[in-house]
Amino acid sequence: MDATYLILGLGAFFAGCVDAVVGGGGLIQIPLLFTTFPTQGTATLFGTNKLASVVGTSSAAWRYARRIAVPWKVIAAAALAAGAGSWIGARAVAYFPPAALRPVMLALLIAVALYTFVRKDFGVRPDTSASPSDPWRRAVFIGAGVGFYDGFFGPGTGSFLIFLFVRALNWDFLRASVAAKIVNMVTNVAAIGFFVSHGEVLWRVAAVMALCNLCGAQLGSGLALRHGAPFVRRAFLLVACVLIVRFALDTFRI
């Protein structure tokens, strides 16, 4: 059991580091939990993952918010919509297989990665000249849609939020990453509320992974703040490519 906790802790540390920069921590933690506990139910492992992730996400959001100018009203609109969407998504896990979303998510990830790669200046700096006149409305749609996905399935939530914030609100990657952390924190709390109320969490495992995820998040957020939007953009492309490979393997059972 000690070796199991060591493996889970190391995985959670790396997941926290990656997630704090650009999202995608679930890409590491969820497969690790399913591999370690193959007989546990899907909802139990998803709840454990959310509880382990929310501590690191919250710490990264707090650290970012102290250093980066945050448009709180816009983010609050996205976060509230995301919280509601996440709760609904968590409930939907019991009625609809999350694996059915894989082909759709694979296509979206390929489109996102190609768009970001081709547009070399995409998200490197904020485009204040093209700021939308209705940022709150756009933020609500983004939050509700991605929030539902996060509660229902999860992997890549942070990456989708970052891309949509950059594309729809013309933010740079660093500010979008800050906003994604805050919104993702709310979606995690909402999903946890559902899972915990149904008793579907491995508490000891979640506690160990949460501590390690917190340490990783501090390292990741420090790297992002030190190196800025270009670094976050490169990390985003890397994580997007890894997600594409992972979704392709799962979708086509290669």
Side-chain angles (χ1 to χ4, degrees):
M1 183 60 72
D2 291 340
T4 299
Y5 280 118
L6 176 62
I7 294 170
L8 290 171
L10 289 173
F13 176 86
F14 186 54
C17 183
V18 172
D19 202 65
V21 178
V22 74
L27 177 70
I28 301 166
Q29 286 192 166
I30 291 176
L32 185 59
L33 283 166
F34 272 87
T35 301
T36 306
F37 304 103
T39 60
Q40 286 288 347
T42 299
T44 297
L45 297 183
F46 276 16
T48 303
N49 172 66
K50 293 297 182 190
L51 198 59
S53 299
V54 71
V55 176
T57 301
S58 301
S59 70
W62 172 253
R63 188 173 185 183
Y64 279 135
R66 295 176 62 190
R67 296 278 299 276
I68 305 296
V70 177
W72 285 109
K73 291 182 179 180
V74 177
I75 294 177
L80 289 173
S86 180
W87 177 269
I88 296 169
R91 290 184 63 87
V93 170
Y95 305 104
F96 186 76
L101 279 182
R102 286 194 183 112
V104 178
M105 294 301 106
L106 176 60
L108 288 175
L109 280 166
I110 292 172
V112 163
L114 287 174
Y115 185 91
T116 306
F117 182 77
V118 171
R119 292 281 303 275
K120 301 298 182 184
D121 60 341
F122 181 67
V124 173
R125 59 185 60 84
D127 186 2
T128 55
S129 64
S131 297
S133 58
D134 57 344
W136 296 277
R137 185 183 303 174
R138 296 188 183 196
V140 167
F141 279 115
I142 292 170
V146 179
F148 176 86
Y149 170 75
D150 187 48
F152 183 69
F153 194 25
T157 294
S159 299
F160 282 124
L161 281 171
I162 290 170
F163 176 82
L164 290 171
F165 283 141
V166 175
R167 180 67 183 85
L169 302 178
N170 298 308
W171 292 346
D172 62 67
F173 267 97
L174 185 58
R175 178 173 292 188
S177 183
V178 177
K181 292 285 94 54
I182 296 170
V183 173
N184 206 188
M185 177 180 66
V186 175
T187 62
N188 281 343
V189 170
I192 287 168
F194 173 80
F195 289 124
V196 169
S197 67
H198 288 70
E200 295 170 328
V201 172
L202 302 176
W203 289 100
R204 186 177 299 178
V205 171
V208 171
M209 294 182 72
L211 178 60
C212 296
N213 192 279
L214 168 65
C215 296
Q218 289 300 299
L219 175 61
S221 57
L223 289 171
L225 288 169
R226 186 176 304 118
H227 299 291
F231 170 77
V232 178
R233 182 182 186 275
R234 291 192 295 270
F236 173 86
L237 280 170
L238 177 61
V239 169
C241 290
V242 173
L243 280 166
I244 288 169
V245 172
R246 176 56 194 270
F247 273 91
L249 291 174
D250 288 344
T251 300
F252 301 110
R253 303 294 181 185
I254 298 174

